[in-house]
Amino acid sequence: MKKQTQKKRPEKGAKNTDRAAIILSLFREFPNNKFSLKHLASASGGATKEGRRETFEILGRLHDEGIVEECAREKYRLTHKHLPHFEGVADMTATGSIYVRVEGEEKDIFVNQRNTANALNGDRVEVVVMHRGRDGKMEGEITRIVERSRKPYVGIAEVGAHQIFVRADSRRMPMDIYLSKRLYPDVKDGEKVVVRIADWAEGSKSPVGELIERLGMAGNNDTEMHAILAEYELPYRFEPEIEQAAEGIDGRITAKEIARRRDFRNVTTFTVDPADAKDFDDALSVRKVGEGVWEIGVHIADVTHYVRPHSVIDDEAVERGTSVYLVDRTVPMLPERLSNELCSLRPHEASLCFSAVFTINEGLEILDEWFGRTVIYSDRRFTYAEAQEIIETGRGDFAEEVLTLNRLAQALRRERFKNGAISFDREEVKFQLDEAGKPIGVYFKEQKESNQMIEEFMLLANRRVAEFCGKRKTDKGRTVERTMVYRVHDKPSEEKLDRFRQFILRFGHIFKATSGRAVAKELNKLFAQIKGSTEENAVSTMAVRSMAKAFYTTDNIGHYGLAFPYYTHFTSPIRRYPDMMVHRLLARYLAGEKAADKTTLEDLCARASEREVIASEAERASIKYKMVEFMKERIGEEFDGHISGLTEWGIYVELDETHIEGMSFLRDIEGDFFQFDEANYEIVGRSTGRRMTLGDAVRIRVKRADLQKRQLDFELLIDNGRPMAPAPREDGPKVRRSTRRKNR
């Protein structure tokens, strides 16, 4: 008789373990849910009598271990200490709510104001997730402040009879900061001060601050510019020991030093800079060496000859990372003794340089190149306007040399765009200021051929230095990579490109390219189409936002925007620390020394990239302040503009004449109840059906100008349910145009 085979059943213990694992994962995946015994039994293997009994046993064990708790009759949830815990950095909103940024988590954790445990912007906190939505969004509760941020706040002191409260400029500090009047009796009402949070005790309405610095009375130009620098923790002066070290540098150019260098003093050399420039860190030399063949020298101030590694001046340059350009002043990376004197390539003076010299023909072939230290003599200091006049008229000092350089530069420019470079030519708003720093006019920075001439030769030097330093030929003829500081720019992400594609479709533009150099080609085609149109600024702004950000690193991925496989910053060592790093690397490799330490350089690159971002934010803050200050005198006046942005709470409008941007709150628009239709990206009137979207022409009245918050409020003018048609203006702010150098 054949023996009957039986199915092997899993052991009871193993089955129980599987069920326990499923139940525990349910609690952790849905930390805010309350589960019934029946639900857990069904989800973990079946709600039979046996299944419910096993589930009850498992819940009993989890309860005894303190993992779950019974919150109602036969309803269970995770105990507080077993809820998902994360550590991250608090990002505070104007309402007092917080988003906690957690490394590795795709989405920030939202914390309502009542659950912030007195955490403030920038604090490192511990947060417990109380709720996780189906879309992955998390809401939590801050349980502990791991480390209080030491970032200072700038604000206006409001001095009472017994206490001082500081109303912070930053929207990320929505509550007033208390200062002890006993500790700080000299603080004046209306004075701009810098404070740091010392404590915020539980139950107290306001955080307690400690005074760092008194800047002066609010509204004074110097006070406000220093306030912006303080807000971003940027210095506005050098410590005495650094100034003394700079003064102590020997600036004499000795015969011994000249003998070590290639001498260009007899070669025609000149600088081209903005009219108000004080530091001239680059010069061009040119001479004919054959029929249709030219020797072009790109001469850069030899800053590292004067500034030694790890000196007090070098350490300060590392700390600053870059010069900062506010509307009315430059905060230099190096003391003026260096930036405006020793390292400035002033006319009719001999100067020490680090140079890239190219022998190039009319077909743009580089027949020879040489890198090394030089001595030059600048024959002429041109402004961009003076060089432009020579280009346009063919007459003036060194006209042949200027015209030759411009002809070659324009050819290099055409070649660059042919190879896939992107043409980001956006107008930049500049201000005409009176003696007190008050804005009295607006003009636009415009790039002409004289600017392009300098730009193209700086780009040439930057990319050839990057390639020389980044690649080394071995004795066997092989090419190996060397440690180098690169300026890199990654290709745009598909997600950002898709958003950009949807955005420009609203203006009737179709963007087909999806990847590679085709994207650059399509962008240039689009920029040509929208030139001078109402949507030009909105589309250009969104295009820039769709691109990756350029940064410094030792890992080369090329520069997408410029279409260069190798690129660095070599040409501005007076104002950028990475250029000083590149000068030292070039000197090292010219001397045949081994590759530099990658880890040390990468740390310096990360620092420089970080300082660059901070400097840019401070520069934008100063521009925004001057915009608000300029419009403060025009409250009640009407202007024409175009819609430049839409949000659920308002419409951003950019004025046609000045490119100054302000916002009109939806709740303030009369004649209808307007709502934001995110799907169609437009504002819709509930009763009238009136629709407004990006690029629409509108008319506004200036309603409010808040200098402290750097905010402009506009009133959108509606006529019979429609934005009023733009009308010609006879008065208003004067606009002039200027040729200024564009940052490379």
Side-chain angles (χ1 to χ4, degrees):
M1 189 176 168
K2 195 174 180 182
K3 193 174 181 180
Q4 206 171 13
T5 57
Q6 289 185 333
K7 266 187 181 177
K8 191 175 180 182
R9 293 183 179 183
E11 293 178 17
K12 186 176 179 181
K15 186 177 179 182
N16 217 316
T17 303
D18 291 344
R19 188 184 288 273
I22 292 167
I23 288 170
L24 198 54
S25 71
L26 278 170
F27 277 119
R28 285 176 175 160
E29 191 174 349
F30 304 100
N32 53 301
N33 282 17
K34 299 172 184 176
F35 294 100
S36 68
L37 188 145
K38 186 178 179 181
H39 183 154
L40 290 168
S42 296
S44 61
T48 61
K49 185 178 179 182
E50 178 67 12
R52 288 198 302 275
R53 186 189 63 75
E54 287 178 2
T55 301
F56 185 74
E57 287 178 1
I58 291 165
L59 286 170
R61 289 201 302 274
L62 292 174
H63 184 276
D64 292 344
E65 291 169 15
I67 297 172
V68 301
E69 61 187 6
E70 191 170 3
C71 53
R73 184 172 174 78
E74 292 195 341
K75 290 267 190 177
Y76 299 86
R77 68 182 177 196
L78 276 179
T79 57
H80 195 274
K81 71 176 183 178
H82 282 277
L83 289 168
H85 282 64
F86 295 96
E87 193 175 295
V89 177
D91 190 358
M92 183 168 267
T93 68
T95 63
S97 297
I98 281 174
Y99 286 90
V100 180
R101 288 180 279 111
V102 179
E103 194 174 340
E105 288 293 315
E106 192 176 327
K107 295 185 178 177
D108 297 343
I109 302 166
F110 174 75
V111 180
N112 191 285
Q113 185 183 9
R114 64 178 177 272
N115 297 322
T116 58
N118 287 356
L120 294 168
N121 190 63
D123 290 351
R124 177 160 286 279
V125 298
E126 188 179 86
V127 61
V128 168
V129 175
M130 307 295 292
H131 177 82
R132 192 189 294 264
R134 290 184 179 179
D135 57 359
K137 290 181 180 176
M138 296 179 282
E139 185 171 341
E141 179 182 314
I142 291 174
T143 55
R144 185 167 67 94
I145 297 168
V146 179
E147 184 182 4
R148 183 71 80 182
S149 170
R150 298 291 292 163
K151 183 177 172 62
Y153 289 96
V154 177
I156 296 174
E158 296 177 347
V159 180
H162 305 290
Q163 72 282 315
I164 303 166
F165 283 101
V166 177
R167 188 158 41 89
D169 294 354
S170 174
R171 281 171 280 184
R172 296 183 185 277
M173 173 53 85
M175 57 283 298
D176 292 344
I177 302 163
Y178 170 81
L179 284 182
S180 167
K181 196 169 183 180
R182 180 178 59 81
L183 292 176
Y184 310 113
D186 297 331
V187 173
K188 298 173 185 174
D189 188 59
E191 195 171 19
K192 207 103 180 189
V193 295
V194 185
V195 298
R196 185 177 282 128
I197 303 303
D199 188 28
W200 192 0
E202 191 176 342
S204 176
K205 289 183 179 179
S206 299
V208 176
E210 57 185 23
L211 184 67
I212 298 172
E213 191 172 5
R214 297 164 62 197
L215 299 173
M217 297 307 291
N220 174 274
N221 183 64
D222 279 347
T223 298
E224 296 298 343
M225 293 301 106
H226 288 164
I228 288 170
L229 293 170
E231 180 182 342
Y232 291 95
E233 297 184 88
L234 293 165
Y236 57 87
R237 58 175 174 252
F238 286 98
E239 294 299 325
E241 65 166 332
I242 295 165
E243 294 280 17
Q244 287 165 13
E247 290 299 327
I249 295 172
D250 186 355
R252 291 174 299 174
I253 299 176
T254 63
K256 186 178 179 182
E257 184 58 43
I258 291 172
R260 294 193 189 106
R261 296 169 177 263
R262 186 168 167 182
D263 196 340
F264 275 80
R265 287 177 295 174
N266 292 323
V267 182
T268 300
T269 304
F270 48 79
T271 61
V272 185
D273 289 280
D276 58 355
K278 293 178 181 176
D279 57 331
F280 314 125
D281 57 4
D282 58 75
L284 293 178
S285 69
V286 56
R287 66 177 165 188
K288 191 173 184 177
V289 292
E291 193 58 43
V293 180
W294 306 88
E295 179 194 80
I296 311 296
V298 181
H299 306 286
I300 310 302
D302 193 358
V303 175
T304 55
H305 170 76
Y306 298 103
V307 181
R308 302 301 182 188
H310 310 300
S311 63
V312 290
I313 297 173
D314 189 61
D315 290 345
E316 181 68 13
V318 170
E319 186 66 26
R320 294 184 178 219
T322 179
S323 295
V324 183
Y325 296 90
L326 302 187
V327 168
D328 70 332
R329 69 195 65 201
T330 297
V331 182
M333 181 182 77
L334 298 170
E336 284 194 11
R337 162 80 169 145
L338 285 158
S339 59
N340 293 359
E341 295 177 30
L342 297 182
C343 298
S344 188
L345 311 182
R346 296 182 294 193
H348 312 303
E349 290 182 16
S351 299
L352 301 181
C353 290
F354 217 142
S355 303
V357 183
F358 306 99
T359 304
I360 188 169
N361 64 20
E362 295 286 347
L364 302 185
E365 290 179 279
I366 296 177
L367 306 176
D368 187 31
E369 66 182 10
W370 178 89
F371 305 106
R373 287 192 148 106
T374 58
V375 57
I376 70 163
Y377 182 90
S378 177
D379 297 293
R380 176 74 150 84
R381 183 251 161 142
F382 289 105
T383 65
Y384 279 115
E386 289 168 342
Q388 186 63 33
E389 188 176 352
I390 293 170
I391 290 168
E392 291 174 3
T393 65
R395 296 190 303 274
D397 293 346
F398 305 108
E400 184 184 351
E401 288 86 351
V402 171
L403 292 171
T404 298
L405 287 170
N406 186 58
R407 185 176 67 254
L408 292 171
Q410 291 303 313
L412 285 167
R413 186 175 174 83
R414 287 191 296 273
E415 183 74 13
R416 188 160 57 85
F417 289 125
K418 182 182 172 184
N419 292 337
I422 302 173
S423 176
F424 286 117
D425 283 338
R426 295 178 64 218
E427 286 186 328
E428 293 181 51
V429 177
K430 295 287 180 179
F431 294 92
Q432 183 183 355
L433 307 174
D434 67 12
E435 291 179 358
K438 187 177 178 180
I440 55 175
V442 178
Y443 61 96
F444 299 103
K445 182 174 164 180
E446 190 177 9
Q447 194 183 42
K448 294 189 175 181
E449 285 190 31
S450 58
N451 303 79
Q452 294 165 2
M453 177 179 73
I454 298 301
E455 181 180 38
E456 290 305 320
F457 285 110
M458 297 306 117
L459 291 174
L460 175 65
N462 284 337
R463 69 181 171 94
R464 298 300 292 190
V465 166
E467 195 166 349
F468 172 83
C469 289
K471 295 195 295 188
R472 178 180 67 86
K473 284 276 180 75
T474 66
D475 295 336
K476 295 180 179 179
R478 287 191 306 112
T479 300
V480 294
E481 295 289 320
R482 271 192 298 213
T483 305
M484 178 57 179
V485 170
Y486 297 102
R487 177 71 169 179
V488 302
H489 182 229
D490 205 355
K491 57 184 182 295
S493 72
E494 289 184 20
E495 183 185 350
K496 284 185 175 180
L497 270 181
D498 193 51
R499 282 203 298 267
F500 176 68
R501 192 176 289 111
Q502 297 302 317
F503 175 81
I504 64 170
L505 195 58
R506 299 184 183 98
F507 299 103
H509 300 292
I510 297 172
F511 194 87
K512 295 177 182 177
T514 56
S515 62
R517 302 273 27 129
V519 171
K521 186 177 179 181
E522 193 91 350
L523 275 174
N524 288 337
K525 183 180 171 184
L526 175 66
F527 292 152
Q529 288 174 351
I530 63 173
K531 189 73 175 172
S533 68
T534 56
E535 71 264 25
E536 180 181 7
N537 205 44
V539 171
S540 298
T541 300
M542 188 58 76
V544 171
R545 290 175 184 169
S546 301
M547 294 290 110
K549 296 281 185 277
F551 61 97
Y552 299 103
T553 180
T554 55
D555 297 314
N556 186 32
I557 58 170
H559 197 293
Y560 180 83
L562 293 172
F564 293 154
Y566 287 82
Y567 190 66
T568 191
H569 274 169
F570 164 76
T571 54
S572 295
I574 289 177
R575 64 184 178 92
R576 293 185 304 224
Y577 192 76
D579 299 56
M580 289 176 61
M581 294 162 64
V582 168
H583 279 220
R584 286 171 180 155
L585 285 168
L586 179 56
R588 182 190 189 102
Y589 295 145
L590 286 170
E593 295 179 29
K594 66 178 184 178
D597 181 63
K598 183 181 173 74
T599 304
T600 302
L601 288 176
E602 187 60 36
D603 289 344
L604 287 169
C605 283
R607 170 76 185 174
S609 297
E610 177 190 307
R611 300 310 296 172
E612 179 189 21
V613 170
I614 292 168
S616 295
E617 288 175 352
E619 288 163 19
R620 282 195 295 271
S622 78
I623 292 167
K624 188 67 180 174
Y625 182 88
K626 290 300 175 188
M627 283 181 171
V628 177
E629 188 178 16
F630 184 70
M631 297 306 291
K632 196 173 178 67
E633 302 295 317
R634 292 157 179 83
I635 289 174
E637 292 185 30
E638 296 177 14
F639 296 92
D640 299 326
H642 283 80
I643 295 175
S644 56
L646 301 172
T647 69
E648 59 187 282
W649 56 83
I651 296 173
Y652 286 95
V653 176
E654 184 181 88
L655 304 186
D656 294 341
E657 209 169 358
T658 59
H659 291 192
I660 290 173
E661 189 180 60
M663 193 181 74
S664 175
F665 285 97
L666 295 186
R667 64 172 183 263
D668 294 340
I669 303 175
E670 296 180 358
D672 203 345
F673 179 78
F674 287 91
Q675 291 177 300
F676 178 44
D677 180 355
E678 190 173 6
N680 295 307
Y681 208 74
E682 57 188 9
I683 300 295
V684 183
R686 183 187 287 176
S687 303
T688 61
R690 170 67 196 172
R691 295 175 182 274
M692 292 178 277
T693 190
L694 282 166
D696 282 357
V698 292
R699 191 163 177 80
I700 62 93
R701 181 181 293 121
V702 182
K703 185 178 181 181
R704 185 167 42 246
D706 187 337
L707 279 169
Q708 189 182 6
K709 299 293 183 185
R710 300 192 282 272
Q711 288 178 330
L712 268 178
D713 290 350
F714 293 159
E715 178 187 350
L716 196 67
L717 301 177
I718 301 289
D719 181 25
N720 297 324
R722 316 182 79 176
M724 288 177 64
R729 282 179 53 83
E730 295 179 1
D731 54 359
K734 303 296 180 192
V735 180
R736 64 182 177 88
R737 295 189 176 267
S738 169
T739 54
R740 308 269 296 185
R741 174 177 296 188
K742 194 165 187 176
N743 277 340
R744 297 182 288 275

